[in-house]
Amino acid sequence: MSLRRIPLASLLLALLCTACAGLPPASMPSAAQPPDHTAVLPDLAAASYNQIANRYLLPLYARIAPLEIYCGCAFDPASKAVDPGTCRFDPERRWGDDDSRGARIEWEHVVPAARVAEALGCGSRAACRAQESFRLAENDPYNLLPALGALNARRSNHPYAEIPGEARAYGRCDFELQEQRDAGRRSARVEPPEAIKGDIARISLYYAQRHGIRFSDAELQQFQAWSAADPVSREERYRAAWIRRNITGWANPFVE
């Protein structure tokens, strides 16, 4: 599909208007906004992303369907344990850590922390943690989605993209990874499930706006297409409202 190139400023302004009003799903509380659970918002720069997510984001999944993003596996919000057999995670080539990481939920950075480090020019991910701006971006809960640990490892820092065909190398999971060589260098890209592409697009555009992450024109066009094809759902809006009211104090304007 050929898309017209759109300047970043115009694209961000246009996508700010994509979220329309709606009510939470029937399985959620009837109020349009989730209730507050913390009297004081956490300091996002004072802890690790795992600490922030486990303490403040994980309780959300007791109120919405606790499903990980790549296979649709149901997980236990209390323990983050998952039975990969229920969603048929069955990789053709097994890794040494598949049995352990394939049975637990980890927090996937939609925009990789390594890309944040690159944008800030502060060196390695570990070295960058000395900067508050990096810690705020690495720990931002809008960017953290539950994923099977084994697929979190597969995705690594690879960019999301459209991959021709629908090869299934991980059982029923709609997760595609394509490796390639360019000028002698190995690289890879990952295509996520259709149902999560719009969420990924809106998180990425939010990161461009709030944290100054630069994306190529091709990436921005891809995000525009994904956001249009997979509009904001009621569950996505509820999740964003939860994060705003209970964790960050600010919104993802591409969702709310």
Side-chain angles (χ1 to χ4, degrees):
M1 180 177 180
S2 177
L3 295 173
R4 179 173 58 90
R5 289 195 172 188
I6 300 175
L8 175 58
S10 300
L11 175 60
L12 295 178
L13 180 60
L15 285 174
L16 279 171
C17 302
T18 60
C20 57
L23 297 175
S27 61
M28 298 181 189
S30 58
Q33 296 291 343
D36 290 316
H37 285 270
T38 57
V40 178
L41 297 177
D43 181 353
L44 295 181
S48 71
Y49 73 87
N50 270 316
Q51 290 171 328
I52 292 292
N54 289 337
R55 181 172 179 181
Y56 299 103
L57 185 57
L58 196 58
L60 167 64
Y61 291 91
R63 302 177 65 87
I64 64 176
L67 302 176
E68 68 86 43
I69 60 171
Y70 292 133
C71 295
C73 300
F75 65 91
D76 178 1
S79 65
K80 295 198 296 183
V82 59
D83 180 358
T86 62
C87 50
R88 300 181 189 174
F89 171 68
D90 186 20
E92 291 179 356
R93 293 182 299 165
R94 300 191 70 82
W95 290 8
D97 59 359
D98 276 350
D99 290 337
S100 58
R101 295 182 73 176
R104 72 174 189 238
I105 291 298
E106 297 178 357
W107 296 107
E108 170 75 285
H109 286 83
V110 171
V111 178
R115 187 156 188 173
V116 177
E118 180 182 357
L120 294 176
C122 51
S124 69
R125 185 171 172 179
C128 287
R129 291 195 177 111
Q131 293 191 17
E132 182 180 60
S133 58
F134 176 83
R135 297 196 303 274
L136 288 172
E138 183 184 36
N139 298 349
D140 192 325
Y142 287 112
N143 191 41
L144 301 174
L145 294 178
L148 278 183
L151 291 181
N152 184 29
R154 299 288 204 285
R155 191 272 167 119
S156 184
N157 300 324
H158 305 316
Y160 292 116
E162 291 284 347
I163 297 175
E166 288 292 323
R168 290 288 179 271
Y170 303 98
R172 195 178 63 181
C173 302
D174 188 8
F175 176 95
E176 299 158 46
L177 186 149
Q178 182 183 69
E179 295 180 309
Q180 55 201 14
R181 282 188 176 273
D182 185 12
R185 297 180 59 185
R186 296 186 67 177
S187 61
R189 54 185 183 165
V190 167
E191 182 173 353
E194 297 294 328
I196 201 69
K197 285 181 177 178
D199 305 56
I200 285 171
R202 289 179 283 274
I203 290 169
S204 300
L205 291 165
Y206 158 81
Y207 256 62
Q209 182 189 78
R210 184 163 190 93
H211 298 293
I213 305 303
R214 295 184 180 89
F215 294 101
S216 68
D217 287 348
E219 288 176 308
L220 292 173
Q221 292 166 19
Q222 173 183 275
F223 296 150
Q224 181 191 32
W226 284 2
S227 186
D230 175 29
V232 179
S233 67
R234 293 179 295 177
E235 184 173 80
E236 182 185 357
R237 185 173 293 108
Y238 187 89
R239 179 182 184 275
W242 171 284
I243 292 172
R244 170 176 53 80
R245 291 169 64 86
N246 295 289
I247 309 179
T248 65
W250 64 78
N252 177 350
F254 297 95
V255 177
E256 291 195 89

